[in-house]
Amino acid sequence: LANFVMLDIGQPMHVFDADLVNGAIEVRKAKQKEEIILLTGEKVELSDEDLVIADDEGLIAIAGTKGGRRVEVTFKTKRIIVESANFDPVSVRKTSTRLNLRTDASKRFENELTPVLAEEGMAEMLSLILKMFPEVSSGPATDVYPNPAKEWEVSFSADYISVLVGAKIEEDSISDILSRIGCRVEKNGNDFTIIPPMDR
């Protein structure tokens, strides 16, 4: 399901076996030469520049790149922790490149995903789980989002668009095209002010 959500909306997801997680989960920098055994069975050594996810026992994932084997979900898993996060693209790229761990998740984070996708990913993942297993109960979500992304405005004239494109674009067409890609459009004479969706 996690891979389905990632392929559907572009938000990487990860699932941990809750009964194998020891204590609280935190996102932190790795300690120099700290090691983790990945889902693939490969052991990697990290530097103090790598962002990781850890519990009280140690590392459980390399943030935005690859999960650890110790908390891997198996057919014996009874309870899960679902992670939908947003990680710094530069940090993910440096770690995944240095470790030669190029994954579908790291590639998406490197492209600087909008943080609003994390909530959408969590909602879709939980919806799919409940459709497949209606008897499942879920606990509260924990959201750490100290600096939420903000909408922004872009202003321009119809004439500017025509010059930029190199052909005359009618004002109604400009409004229609921008609305169809999710922009909120305000028109004042020959001028436009738009608020693009957060993923653009």
Side-chain angles (χ1 to χ4, degrees):
L1 290 180
N3 285 337
F4 177 85
V5 172
M6 180 178 66
L7 294 172
D8 184 36
I9 66 170
Q11 171 64 42
M13 307 289 296
H14 195 75
V15 181
F16 305 103
D17 186 322
D19 293 316
L20 299 177
V21 172
N22 183 6
I25 293 177
E26 66 173 337
V27 179
R28 63 168 171 83
K29 292 287 189 171
K31 298 167 188 168
Q32 191 66 27
K33 296 192 174 182
E34 194 169 16
E35 293 181 337
I36 182 173
I37 297 175
L38 302 174
L39 290 169
T40 57
E42 178 186 5
K43 181 188 283 188
V44 295
E45 184 178 278
L46 302 172
S47 82
D48 57 9
E49 293 184 0
D50 299 322
L51 194 65
V52 295
I53 301 166
D55 64 7
D56 292 349
E57 188 177 331
L59 303 186
I60 59 175
I62 301 172
T65 303
K66 198 75 172 175
R69 175 165 277 185
R70 178 167 61 84
V71 292
E72 177 183 15
V73 171
T74 68
F75 288 113
K76 296 179 180 178
T77 299
K78 302 291 184 192
R79 300 185 312 131
I80 60 172
I81 297 169
V82 179
E83 174 204 76
S84 183
N86 186 274
F87 297 109
D88 177 69
V90 175
S91 172
V92 171
R93 184 177 70 250
K94 283 182 177 178
T95 296
S96 64
T97 300
R98 186 177 59 76
L99 297 175
N100 195 26
L101 282 174
R102 311 300 288 175
T103 63
D104 290 338
S106 69
K107 177 59 180 159
R108 283 164 173 81
F109 284 122
E110 287 171 25
N111 289 341
E112 197 169 358
L113 291 177
T114 175
V116 298
L117 266 185
E119 185 176 0
E120 188 178 334
M122 181 64 77
E124 181 170 338
M125 180 81 169
L126 293 180
S127 173
L128 290 170
I129 290 171
L130 290 171
K131 281 180 183 174
M132 294 178 68
F133 307 100
E135 71 282 4
V136 165
S137 61
S138 63
T142 300
D143 189 8
V144 180
Y145 193 11
N147 299 304
K150 294 182 172 73
E151 294 182 325
W152 66 98
E153 292 184 351
V154 181
S155 298
F156 53 86
S157 68
D159 293 336
Y160 173 76
I161 293 297
S162 293
V163 169
L164 189 67
V165 173
K168 177 67 176 168
I169 307 294
E170 298 299 327
E171 292 180 17
D172 288 345
S173 293
I174 293 172
S175 293
D176 179 57
I177 291 166
L178 292 172
S179 295
R180 281 189 281 136
I181 61 170
C183 296
R184 299 202 309 268
V185 181
E186 292 181 17
K187 187 171 179 300
N188 184 9
N190 190 43
D191 295 323
F192 291 85
T193 298
I194 69 161
I195 299 176
M198 297 295 285
D199 60 346
R200 291 193 174 268

